Amino acid sequence: DTEVTQTPKHLVMGMTNKKSLKCEQHMGHRAMYWYKQKAKKPPELMFVYSYEKLSINESVPSRFSPECPNSSLLNLHLHALQPEDSALYLCASSHHYEQYFGPGTRLTVT
Amino acid sequence: QKEVEQNSGPLSVPEGAIASLNCTYSDRVSQSFFWYRQYSGKSPELIMSIYSNGDKEDGRFTAQLNKASQYVSLLIRDSQPSDSATYLCAVFADGLTFGKGTHLIIQP
């Protein structure tokens, strides 16, 4: 089973809202990732968690705040976003190097 | 700065023919290479991984790696209309660095 789940599927939020994206995997993978994908562009790495510790932050603005409560869960907390942050947010997990993506959350900031 | 280059296409191939997708990468120390398929509005799906020079076959898919030339390719045999998608080449370094993707169209 290579399933990664993400909730919600769609999210519309105003620039003053606070919301969270959730990601879950039950494959025993010890690395989890957040990517951002704009229309007609490839995914761009945002954060890497390895063994529940943040190991990579690709210079992401502080209005995005990741959290890894345990080895199966990954959250992305959103606050004071801008319209240009509208995108597909993808979670992935990996065992060694092969990464498996969840279906994504399509975020619209109004 | 790690770079992964792909021809964005579109690449149009008749049904039943072989589709050939190419990718070059800039980082000579890269060791892990992947091909993902992404349908419009969906997330990327891993279809092939390759770590050693040479060919790796899985069903209708063959990945080829040449580290000396810093070149990765994907061949799709007996192309089907359902293969129409964007194919993303990716190189692992902490996270994945993706090429811009090649839009493949299989013509019935």
Side-chain angles (χ1 to χ4, degrees), chain A residues 20 22 34 49 52 65-70 73-77:
Chain A
S20 297
K22 297 185 183 301
W34 282 112
Y49 272 84
E52 301 165 46
S65 176
E67 177 196 19
C68 188
N70 59 54
L73 291 173
L74 188 64
N75 298 323
L76 187 63
H77 303 298

Side-chain angles (χ1 to χ4, degrees), chain A residues 33 35 37 40-45 48 56 58 88 90 94 96-104 106, chain B residues 32 34 36 38 41-46 48-49 51 56 88 92-101:
Chain A
Y33 311 79
Y35 290 83
Q37 186 174 24
K40 300 194 183 302
K41 299 287 187 184
E44 293 182 349
L45 183 65
V48 179
I56 301 285
E58 291 286 344
L88 180 66
L90 295 161
S94 71
H96 298 305
Y97 305 116
E98 295 185 352
Q99 292 188 22
Y100 298 92
F101 285 85
R106 190 160 299 281
Chain B
S32 307
F34 307 90
Y36 285 82
Q38 188 171 26
K42 301 294 186 182
S43 62
E45 175 192 5
L46 178 64
M48 289 291 284
S49 59
Y51 305 101
K56 178 182 177 184
L88 296 161
F92 182 85
D94 298 319
L96 291 172
T97 299
F98 287 90
K100 292 183 178 178

Side-chain angles (χ1 to χ4, degrees), chain A residues 27-54:
Chain A
M27 296 177 279
H29 291 173
R30 302 318 296 263
M32 297 184 75
Y33 311 79
W34 282 112
Y35 290 83
K36 173 182 177 179
Q37 186 174 24
K38 301 280 279 184
K40 300 194 183 302
K41 299 287 187 184
E44 293 182 349
L45 183 65
M46 300 175 72
F47 301 105
V48 179
Y49 272 84
S50 179
Y51 290 88
E52 301 165 46
K53 290 189 178 359
L54 182 64

Side-chain angles (χ1 to χ4, degrees), chain B residues 64-81:
Chain B
Q64 299 174 317
L65 174 60
N66 183 324
K67 290 185 180 180
S69 301
Q70 295 175 243
Y71 177 89
V72 191
S73 67
L74 179 71
L75 301 178
I76 306 175
R77 288 182 298 282
D78 188 23
S79 296
Q80 302 297 310

